[in-house]
mmCIF file of all heavy atoms in Angstrom:
data_model
loop_
_atom_site.group_PDB
_atom_site.id
_atom_site.type_symbol
_atom_site.label_atom_id
_atom_site.label_comp_id
_atom_site.label_asym_id
_atom_site.label_seq_id
_atom_site.Cartn_x
_atom_site.Cartn_y
_atom_site.Cartn_z
ATOM 1 N N PRO A 27 19.758 15.378 14.280
ATOM 2 C CA PRO A 27 18.868 14.733 13.311
ATOM 3 C C PRO A 27 19.556 14.530 11.966
ATOM 4 O O PRO A 27 20.515 15.236 11.628
ATOM 5 C CB PRO A 27 17.712 15.712 13.187
ATOM 6 C CG PRO A 27 18.306 17.038 13.511
ATOM 7 C CD PRO A 27 19.386 16.772 14.521
ATOM 8 N N LEU A 28 19.045 13.588 11.193
ATOM 9 C CA LEU A 28 19.516 13.376 9.829
ATOM 10 C C LEU A 28 19.170 14.595 8.978
ATOM 11 O O LEU A 28 19.926 15.017 8.118
ATOM 12 C CB LEU A 28 18.853 12.123 9.235
ATOM 13 C CG LEU A 28 19.078 11.861 7.754
ATOM 14 C CD1 LEU A 28 20.529 11.443 7.521
ATOM 15 C CD2 LEU A 28 18.139 10.783 7.255
ATOM 16 N N GLU A 29 17.992 15.159 9.269
ATOM 17 C CA GLU A 29 17.503 16.276 8.463
ATOM 18 C C GLU A 29 16.662 17.207 9.329
ATOM 19 O O GLU A 29 15.890 16.763 10.167
ATOM 20 C CB GLU A 29 16.643 15.708 7.326
ATOM 21 C CG GLU A 29 16.052 16.706 6.392
ATOM 22 C CD GLU A 29 15.207 16.050 5.303
ATOM 23 O OE1 GLU A 29 15.006 14.825 5.325
ATOM 24 O OE2 GLU A 29 14.737 16.801 4.442
ATOM 25 N N ARG A 30 16.849 18.507 9.108
ATOM 26 C CA ARG A 30 15.974 19.525 9.689
ATOM 27 C C ARG A 30 15.161 20.078 8.530
ATOM 28 O O ARG A 30 15.724 20.597 7.582
ATOM 29 C CB ARG A 30 16.789 20.638 10.340
ATOM 30 C CG ARG A 30 17.440 20.246 11.625
ATOM 31 C CD ARG A 30 18.198 21.437 12.227
ATOM 32 N NE ARG A 30 18.818 21.065 13.466
ATOM 33 C CZ ARG A 30 20.052 20.604 13.584
ATOM 34 N NH1 ARG A 30 20.805 20.460 12.510
ATOM 35 N NH2 ARG A 30 20.544 20.270 14.760
ATOM 36 N N THR A 31 13.865 19.964 8.619
ATOM 37 C CA THR A 31 13.008 20.397 7.527
ATOM 38 C C THR A 31 11.782 21.103 8.094
ATOM 39 O O THR A 31 11.777 21.458 9.274
ATOM 40 C CB THR A 31 12.627 19.176 6.635
ATOM 41 O OG1 THR A 31 11.929 19.650 5.488
ATOM 42 C CG2 THR A 31 11.810 18.157 7.383
ATOM 43 N N PHE A 32 10.769 21.303 7.268
ATOM 44 C CA PHE A 32 9.551 21.977 7.697
ATOM 45 C C PHE A 32 8.332 21.194 7.239
ATOM 46 O O PHE A 32 8.394 20.423 6.293
ATOM 47 C CB PHE A 32 9.489 23.402 7.125
ATOM 48 C CG PHE A 32 10.587 24.283 7.622
ATOM 49 C CD1 PHE A 32 11.765 24.404 6.918
ATOM 50 C CD2 PHE A 32 10.453 24.966 8.810
ATOM 51 C CE1 PHE A 32 12.796 25.207 7.384
ATOM 52 C CE2 PHE A 32 11.473 25.769 9.292
ATOM 53 C CZ PHE A 32 12.647 25.886 8.576
ATOM 54 N N TRP A 33 7.224 21.413 7.929
ATOM 55 C CA TRP A 33 5.942 20.842 7.536
ATOM 56 C C TRP A 33 4.905 21.942 7.652
ATOM 57 O O TRP A 33 5.097 22.920 8.385
ATOM 58 C CB TRP A 33 5.610 19.615 8.383
ATOM 59 C CG TRP A 33 5.293 19.891 9.835
ATOM 60 C CD1 TRP A 33 6.125 20.430 10.779
ATOM 61 C CD2 TRP A 33 4.071 19.635 10.492
ATOM 62 N NE1 TRP A 33 5.493 20.529 11.983
ATOM 63 C CE2 TRP A 33 4.218 20.041 11.843
ATOM 64 C CE3 TRP A 33 2.858 19.104 10.098
ATOM 65 C CZ2 TRP A 33 3.201 19.929 12.778
ATOM 66 C CZ3 TRP A 33 1.849 18.981 11.050
ATOM 67 C CH2 TRP A 33 2.028 19.396 12.365
ATOM 68 N N MET A 34 3.835 21.835 6.897
ATOM 69 C CA MET A 34 2.798 22.853 6.904
ATOM 70 C C MET A 34 1.750 22.523 7.970
ATOM 71 O O MET A 34 1.233 21.407 8.022
ATOM 72 C CB MET A 34 2.117 22.944 5.542
ATOM 73 C CG MET A 34 3.035 23.437 4.431
ATOM 74 S SD MET A 34 3.710 25.082 4.721
ATOM 75 C CE MET A 34 2.249 26.090 4.590
ATOM 76 N N PHE A 35 1.453 23.490 8.824
ATOM 77 C CA PHE A 35 0.439 23.333 9.859
ATOM 78 C C PHE A 35 -0.274 24.664 9.994
ATOM 79 O O PHE A 35 0.362 25.689 10.251
ATOM 80 C CB PHE A 35 1.085 22.910 11.179
ATOM 81 C CG PHE A 35 0.101 22.520 12.245
ATOM 82 C CD1 PHE A 35 -0.662 21.376 12.114
ATOM 83 C CD2 PHE A 35 -0.056 23.292 13.378
ATOM 84 C CE1 PHE A 35 -1.568 20.993 13.101
ATOM 85 C CE2 PHE A 35 -0.955 22.935 14.368
ATOM 86 C CZ PHE A 35 -1.711 21.779 14.227
ATOM 87 N N HIS A 36 -1.579 24.676 9.789
ATOM 88 C CA HIS A 36 -2.379 25.905 9.808
ATOM 89 C C HIS A 36 -1.786 26.944 8.858
ATOM 90 O O HIS A 36 -1.612 28.115 9.218
ATOM 91 C CB HIS A 36 -2.490 26.476 11.222
ATOM 92 C CG HIS A 36 -3.254 25.615 12.166
ATOM 93 N ND1 HIS A 36 -4.590 25.319 12.000
ATOM 94 C CD2 HIS A 36 -2.862 24.949 13.288
ATOM 95 C CE1 HIS A 36 -4.988 24.534 12.982
ATOM 96 N NE2 HIS A 36 -3.963 24.285 13.773
ATOM 97 N N GLU A 37 -1.445 26.483 7.651
ATOM 98 C CA GLU A 37 -0.910 27.329 6.591
ATOM 99 C C GLU A 37 0.376 28.058 6.983
ATOM 100 O O GLU A 37 0.669 29.154 6.499
ATOM 101 C CB GLU A 37 -1.972 28.320 6.119
ATOM 102 C CG GLU A 37 -3.205 27.645 5.547
ATOM 103 C CD GLU A 37 -4.271 28.623 5.100
ATOM 104 O OE1 GLU A 37 -4.005 29.835 5.059
ATOM 105 O OE2 GLU A 37 -5.374 28.150 4.790
ATOM 106 N N LYS A 38 1.149 27.447 7.843
ATOM 107 C CA LYS A 38 2.415 28.023 8.281
ATOM 108 C C LYS A 38 3.466 26.922 8.320
ATOM 109 O O LYS A 38 3.165 25.795 8.714
ATOM 110 C CB LYS A 38 2.242 28.641 9.670
ATOM 111 C CG LYS A 38 3.468 29.336 10.191
ATOM 112 C CD LYS A 38 3.227 29.923 11.561
ATOM 113 C CE LYS A 38 4.528 30.447 12.120
ATOM 114 N NZ LYS A 38 4.484 30.609 13.557
ATOM 115 N N GLN A 39 4.693 27.247 7.908
ATOM 116 C CA GLN A 39 5.777 26.273 7.986
ATOM 117 C C GLN A 39 6.259 26.157 9.430
ATOM 118 O O GLN A 39 6.583 27.164 10.065
ATOM 119 C CB GLN A 39 6.954 26.684 7.109
ATOM 120 C CG GLN A 39 6.741 26.447 5.648
ATOM 121 C CD GLN A 39 8.024 26.635 4.861
ATOM 122 O OE1 GLN A 39 8.895 27.400 5.241
ATOM 123 N NE2 GLN A 39 8.129 25.932 3.749
ATOM 124 N N GLU A 40 6.294 24.930 9.916
ATOM 125 C CA GLU A 40 6.768 24.648 11.277
ATOM 126 C C GLU A 40 7.940 23.672 11.190
ATOM 127 O O GLU A 40 8.015 22.873 10.256
ATOM 128 C CB GLU A 40 5.642 24.048 12.127
ATOM 129 C CG GLU A 40 4.485 24.985 12.384
ATOM 130 C CD GLU A 40 4.837 26.143 13.306
ATOM 131 O OE1 GLU A 40 5.826 26.062 14.061
ATOM 132 O OE2 GLU A 40 4.105 27.154 13.267
ATOM 133 N N PRO A 41 8.849 23.678 12.172
ATOM 134 C CA PRO A 41 10.019 22.794 12.119
ATOM 135 C C PRO A 41 9.654 21.308 12.254
ATOM 136 O O PRO A 41 8.675 20.953 12.904
ATOM 137 C CB PRO A 41 10.853 23.229 13.327
ATOM 138 C CG PRO A 41 10.306 24.526 13.768
ATOM 139 C CD PRO A 41 8.894 24.588 13.304
ATOM 140 N N GLN A 42 10.461 20.496 11.604
ATOM 141 C CA GLN A 42 10.369 19.041 11.723
ATOM 142 C C GLN A 42 11.785 18.488 11.760
ATOM 143 O O GLN A 42 12.645 18.916 10.994
ATOM 144 C CB GLN A 42 9.625 18.441 10.533
ATOM 145 C CG GLN A 42 9.587 16.925 10.563
ATOM 146 C CD GLN A 42 9.017 16.315 9.286
ATOM 147 O OE1 GLN A 42 8.630 17.021 8.365
ATOM 148 N NE2 GLN A 42 8.983 15.011 9.240
ATOM 149 N N LEU A 43 12.030 17.551 12.664
ATOM 150 C CA LEU A 43 13.301 16.840 12.721
ATOM 151 C C LEU A 43 13.075 15.427 12.208
ATOM 152 O O LEU A 43 12.068 14.794 12.529
ATOM 153 C CB LEU A 43 13.842 16.778 14.157
ATOM 154 C CG LEU A 43 14.079 18.111 14.860
ATOM 155 C CD1 LEU A 43 14.576 17.868 16.284
ATOM 156 C CD2 LEU A 43 15.052 18.963 14.097
ATOM 157 N N VAL A 44 14.018 14.921 11.413
ATOM 158 C CA VAL A 44 13.919 13.570 10.867
ATOM 159 C C VAL A 44 15.150 12.777 11.309
ATOM 160 O O VAL A 44 16.283 13.235 11.143
ATOM 161 C CB VAL A 44 13.835 13.595 9.328
ATOM 162 C CG1 VAL A 44 13.778 12.181 8.768
ATOM 163 C CG2 VAL A 44 12.639 14.417 8.866
ATOM 164 N N TYR A 45 14.900 11.611 11.883
ATOM 165 C CA TYR A 45 15.952 10.684 12.294
ATOM 166 C C TYR A 45 15.764 9.383 11.528
ATOM 167 O O TYR A 45 14.631 8.968 11.283
ATOM 168 C CB TYR A 45 15.866 10.390 13.797
ATOM 169 C CG TYR A 45 16.142 11.595 14.656
ATOM 170 C CD1 TYR A 45 15.120 12.484 14.980
ATOM 171 C CD2 TYR A 45 17.411 11.856 15.128
ATOM 172 C CE1 TYR A 45 15.364 13.601 15.759
ATOM 173 C CE2 TYR A 45 17.670 12.965 15.917
ATOM 174 C CZ TYR A 45 16.644 13.834 16.222
ATOM 175 O OH TYR A 45 16.896 14.939 16.984
ATOM 176 N N GLN A 46 16.869 8.741 11.140
ATOM 177 C CA GLN A 46 16.785 7.460 10.436
ATOM 178 C C GLN A 46 17.947 6.594 10.885
ATOM 179 O O GLN A 46 19.049 7.085 11.117
ATOM 180 C CB GLN A 46 16.837 7.688 8.928
ATOM 181 C CG GLN A 46 16.563 6.453 8.123
ATOM 182 C CD GLN A 46 16.377 6.762 6.645
ATOM 183 O OE1 GLN A 46 16.018 7.875 6.276
ATOM 184 N NE2 GLN A 46 16.620 5.786 5.819
ATOM 185 N N SER A 47 17.685 5.290 11.009
ATOM 186 C CA SER A 47 18.739 4.378 11.444
ATOM 187 C C SER A 47 19.107 3.422 10.325
ATOM 188 O O SER A 47 18.342 3.184 9.392
ATOM 189 C CB SER A 47 18.284 3.560 12.652
ATOM 190 O OG SER A 47 17.460 2.503 12.228
ATOM 191 N N LEU A 48 20.286 2.844 10.444
ATOM 192 C CA LEU A 48 20.703 1.800 9.520
ATOM 193 C C LEU A 48 19.890 0.533 9.740
ATOM 194 O O LEU A 48 19.805 -0.316 8.866
ATOM 195 C CB LEU A 48 22.194 1.507 9.700
ATOM 196 C CG LEU A 48 23.124 2.678 9.365
ATOM 197 C CD1 LEU A 48 24.565 2.308 9.702
ATOM 198 C CD2 LEU A 48 23.000 3.068 7.908
ATOM 199 N N ALA A 49 19.273 0.405 10.920
ATOM 200 C CA ALA A 49 18.468 -0.777 11.241
ATOM 201 C C ALA A 49 17.136 -0.778 10.487
ATOM 202 O O ALA A 49 16.449 -1.784 10.471
ATOM 203 C CB ALA A 49 18.210 -0.846 12.744
ATOM 204 N N GLY A 50 16.778 0.327 9.879
ATOM 205 C CA GLY A 50 15.594 0.334 9.046
ATOM 206 C C GLY A 50 14.379 1.032 9.620
ATOM 207 O O GLY A 50 13.256 0.637 9.351
ATOM 208 N N TRP A 51 14.545 2.086 10.405
ATOM 209 C CA TRP A 51 13.398 2.842 10.892
ATOM 210 C C TRP A 51 13.639 4.325 10.667
ATOM 211 O O TRP A 51 14.761 4.774 10.518
ATOM 212 C CB TRP A 51 13.080 2.562 12.353
ATOM 213 C CG TRP A 51 14.198 2.771 13.318
ATOM 214 C CD1 TRP A 51 15.004 1.815 13.851
ATOM 215 C CD2 TRP A 51 14.657 4.012 13.888
ATOM 216 N NE1 TRP A 51 15.928 2.378 14.696
ATOM 217 C CE2 TRP A 51 15.736 3.725 14.740
ATOM 218 C CE3 TRP A 51 14.256 5.333 13.743
ATOM 219 C CZ2 TRP A 51 16.426 4.708 15.443
ATOM 220 C CZ3 TRP A 51 14.934 6.321 14.451
ATOM 221 C CH2 TRP A 51 16.002 5.991 15.295
ATOM 222 N N LYS A 52 12.534 5.067 10.636
ATOM 223 C CA LYS A 52 12.576 6.513 10.445
ATOM 224 C C LYS A 52 11.646 7.157 11.461
ATOM 225 O O LYS A 52 10.524 6.706 11.660
ATOM 226 C CB LYS A 52 12.126 6.851 9.027
ATOM 227 C CG LYS A 52 12.271 8.293 8.642
ATOM 228 C CD LYS A 52 11.931 8.467 7.172
ATOM 229 C CE LYS A 52 12.159 9.885 6.702
ATOM 230 N NZ LYS A 52 11.874 10.009 5.259
ATOM 231 N N LEU A 53 12.128 8.201 12.110
ATOM 232 C CA LEU A 53 11.382 8.907 13.143
ATOM 233 C C LEU A 53 11.227 10.366 12.727
ATOM 234 O O LEU A 53 12.214 11.012 12.363
ATOM 235 C CB LEU A 53 12.126 8.811 14.477
ATOM 236 C CG LEU A 53 11.617 9.653 15.638
ATOM 237 C CD1 LEU A 53 10.225 9.195 16.068
ATOM 238 C CD2 LEU A 53 12.581 9.582 16.810
ATOM 239 N N GLY A 54 9.999 10.870 12.748
ATOM 240 C CA GLY A 54 9.729 12.276 12.491
ATOM 241 C C GLY A 54 9.238 12.940 13.763
ATOM 242 O O GLY A 54 8.414 12.376 14.483
ATOM 243 N N VAL A 55 9.769 14.110 14.063
ATOM 244 C CA VAL A 55 9.361 14.877 15.242
ATOM 245 C C VAL A 55 8.854 16.230 14.739
ATOM 246 O O VAL A 55 9.591 16.980 14.108
ATOM 247 C CB VAL A 55 10.541 15.064 16.229
ATOM 248 C CG1 VAL A 55 10.087 15.799 17.477
ATOM 249 C CG2 VAL A 55 11.165 13.718 16.590
ATOM 250 N N TYR A 56 7.564 16.514 15.001
ATOM 251 C CA TYR A 56 6.891 17.683 14.450
ATOM 252 C C TYR A 56 6.638 18.721 15.546
ATOM 253 O O TYR A 56 6.157 18.381 16.617
ATOM 254 C CB TYR A 56 5.554 17.264 13.832
ATOM 255 C CG TYR A 56 5.709 16.242 12.739
ATOM 256 C CD1 TYR A 56 5.815 14.889 13.038
ATOM 257 C CD2 TYR A 56 5.761 16.636 11.410
ATOM 258 C CE1 TYR A 56 5.973 13.941 12.024
ATOM 259 C CE2 TYR A 56 5.909 15.693 10.402
ATOM 260 C CZ TYR A 56 6.019 14.358 10.711
ATOM 261 O OH TYR A 56 6.166 13.430 9.723
ATOM 262 N N PHE A 57 6.926 19.992 15.220
ATOM 263 C CA PHE A 57 6.808 21.086 16.185
ATOM 264 C C PHE A 57 5.733 22.074 15.763
ATOM 265 O O PHE A 57 5.470 22.282 14.585
ATOM 266 C CB PHE A 57 8.142 21.834 16.300
ATOM 267 C CG PHE A 57 9.256 20.978 16.835
ATOM 268 C CD1 PHE A 57 9.996 20.182 15.987
ATOM 269 C CD2 PHE A 57 9.544 20.959 18.184
ATOM 270 C CE1 PHE A 57 11.014 19.383 16.472
ATOM 271 C CE2 PHE A 57 10.553 20.163 18.679
ATOM 272 C CZ PHE A 57 11.295 19.369 17.820
ATOM 273 N N TYR A 58 5.137 22.700 16.772
ATOM 274 C CA TYR A 58 4.233 23.820 16.574
ATOM 275 C C TYR A 58 4.371 24.716 17.799
ATOM 276 O O TYR A 58 4.337 24.232 18.932
ATOM 277 C CB TYR A 58 2.782 23.357 16.417
ATOM 278 C CG TYR A 58 1.812 24.506 16.302
ATOM 279 C CD1 TYR A 58 1.783 25.300 15.163
ATOM 280 C CD2 TYR A 58 0.935 24.809 17.341
ATOM 281 C CE1 TYR A 58 0.908 26.367 15.061
ATOM 282 C CE2 TYR A 58 0.059 25.867 17.240
ATOM 283 C CZ TYR A 58 0.048 26.650 16.097
ATOM 284 O OH TYR A 58 -0.816 27.704 15.996
#
């Protein structure tokens, strides 16, 4: 992924992967 980050879900930080292309799109993948 371009970035490994976190998102809040049920007051807890959970992993998120972020992908981005030069073609102009961004994909977020959220885990719990």
